[in-house]
Amino acid sequence: MEIKEFYDYNKEIAKFKVAYALVEWDMRTKMPPKAAMDRAEVAGKLARTIFDMGTSPKMATFVEYFNRPKINEKLSEVDRRNVYLVTKEYRRVSSIPPDEFEKFTIACSKGENVWQEAKVESNFAKFKPYLEEIVGYLKKFVEYYGYEENKYDALLEDYEPSMTTKDLKKIIDELKAELVPFIKDLTSKGKAPDTSILKGNFDKASQERLSHEVLSAMTYDFNGGRIDETAHPFTIGMGVGDVRVTTNYHVDDMTSALFSTMHEGGHALYEQGVSEAYKLMPIYNGASMGIHESQSRTWENLVGRSRSFWKFFFPKLQNIFPQFKGVPLEKFYRAINLTKPSLIRIESDEVTYNLHIMIRFEMEEALINDKIKVADLPEVWNEKVKQYLGIDVPDNAHGVLQDVHWSGGQIGYFPSYMLGNLYASQFFFTAKKEIPNLEEEIENGNLKVLREWQREKIHKFGALYDPKDLLIKVTGEPLSHKFFMNYVKEKFSEIYF
Ligand code: ZN
């Protein structure tokens, strides 16, 4: 059997995935509401086709053949990695009995619908039976997937390959020990910046111009993508030459769309930078959710909320929104860097964000290991928010019901957000070391220098390496919380003290 046959078959699957992505993008941006029910069936059919092809007897033959030691050792690095990724996915998906998988998929889509209502009504009891069903399935899947030390490892693997619960706990403990007292110092002894200048009326058309301008500055390729509006911003790749970003405009707050555009733009630069030689291969992808998030956070925070970037970009903002013409740059820089413990994860700042993730990780890990029940979640949530963030949760809508992830069966996803913040600081530290005048380049608007560094060190490899190995390859050391802590301490001490 030739490796070409393996690729031909997998490229067929990849083409269905591109079609699925296009349907998904349309459903979340441009689709007329009347099409919702029928289009869901189209999406369902495509998903089923992808599932069937991925678990077919033909696929089983490829997996068996190319994993034979004598065959496998002769493969090139790229071929071996593609075989590895396909094998892993095949074993995971085919370990679940198809009817159970289908029931789980239905439970998740019902769960998402009920969650939306339950959130509006702040009614956890309404969502509880659905979440119990979803968690029930996940606990079964964990046994099918298998794990060595902790059941939660089996779920983490989907989002952050080779990360373990044990490693995660260690890094969280180290981070928590420094971050919690630092936030306490900032909020009790520091002087919070004045954010009143950010209030105003910002028409949508001008915000659209701003989004275009910032993406262009980031060297996002508009010939290989586009930007549209959506309720919950996301980035979606549809193969070579089509990586789309979305954003969400608020007329009373221009920072929301601006930073979410930079965030999604960071994801998009990653996807636009994967080597074209990997087109339609399993490695034509990001290394992990956490590595992906590190690229978005770099542009949103390490660049987007830096003084150097605003030295370059503030005049552009002032041109689009003349109300900023009398505002000193320094005042603006401080205003976009307010840090404040708050209830909602997606609205939290770069210093307090990781605490929101720690809360969710600890609860998920306890849930999957039967240390707590679904019924306990609201109470545990509120206790942890009080303990970590020092605030009272007024109702479940602002607490345990705020995120969509659990309703869609995505348990194990949250840690990627925190890992993204940590990876981002560690990568950026290396970038600054390797490009000594990086800040000056950013001040001059030469953002391509950073983009090129990311492309050469991270983007072009796609999913060729596990995140752990990629991090060491780029930065020379394993994951450490110290890069993030040093970054926030230096930056926010200067702003607050
Ligand atoms: Zn993201």
Side-chain angles (χ1 to χ4, degrees), residues 276-295:
E276 285 190 24
Y278 301 165
K279 182 175 145 178
L280 295 173
M281 288 179 177
I283 56 169
Y284 193 80
N285 209 335
S288 70
M289 297 296 297
I291 299 289
H292 229 303
E293 196 64 10
S294 76
Q295 301 307 289

Side-chain angles (χ1 to χ4, degrees), residues 233 235 263-264 267 289 292-294 296-297 300 413 417:
T235 301
H263 179 99
E264 300 307 330
H267 282 302
M289 297 296 297
H292 229 303
E293 196 64 10
S294 76
S296 57
R297 294 285 174 180
E300 176 193 359
Y413 188 134
Y417 295 120

Side-chain angles (χ1 to χ4, degrees), residues 419-452:
L419 291 168
N421 290 328
L422 303 185
Y423 292 146
S425 309
Q426 191 160 335
F427 283 139
F428 203 66
F429 178 84
T430 307
K432 275 166 79 173
K433 219 167 45 182
E434 293 179 4
I435 316 166
N437 62 340
L438 180 60
E439 285 191 21
E440 214 178 284
E441 297 279 17
I442 294 174
E443 280 173 24
N444 293 326
N446 190 8
L447 303 178
K448 196 177 172 190
V449 171
L450 177 61
R451 203 287 313 273
E452 275 307 301

Side-chain angles (χ1 to χ4, degrees), residues 194-208:
D194 170 16
T195 58
S196 58
I197 50 151
L198 300 177
K199 295 194 181 82
N201 206 309
F202 306 95
D203 68 285
K204 204 178 112 182
S206 302
Q207 290 200 54
E208 284 174 345

Side-chain angles (χ1 to χ4, degrees), residues 101-141:
F101 188 76
E102 198 164 340
K103 282 183 193 155
F104 171 69
T105 313
I106 294 167
C108 291
S109 68
K110 279 189 197 158
E112 274 191 54
N113 282 325
V114 174
W115 165 76
Q116 283 184 6
E117 292 168 21
K119 187 182 167 185
V120 173
E121 296 164 20
S122 196
N123 181 355
F124 184 76
K126 188 169 188 173
F127 180 46
K128 183 175 154 273
Y130 294 88
L131 185 57
E132 279 170 341
E133 195 186 350
I134 291 167
V135 171
Y137 279 118
L138 288 173
K139 282 185 189 171
K140 279 186 169 183
F141 293 176

Side-chain angles (χ1 to χ4, degrees), residues 54-56 59-60 63 86-95:
T55 53
S56 70
M59 187 60 108
V63 166
V86 164
T87 303
K88 196 167 88 168
E89 179 69 10
Y90 171 80
R91 288 191 178 142
R92 275 178 88 82
V93 178
S94 59
S95 71

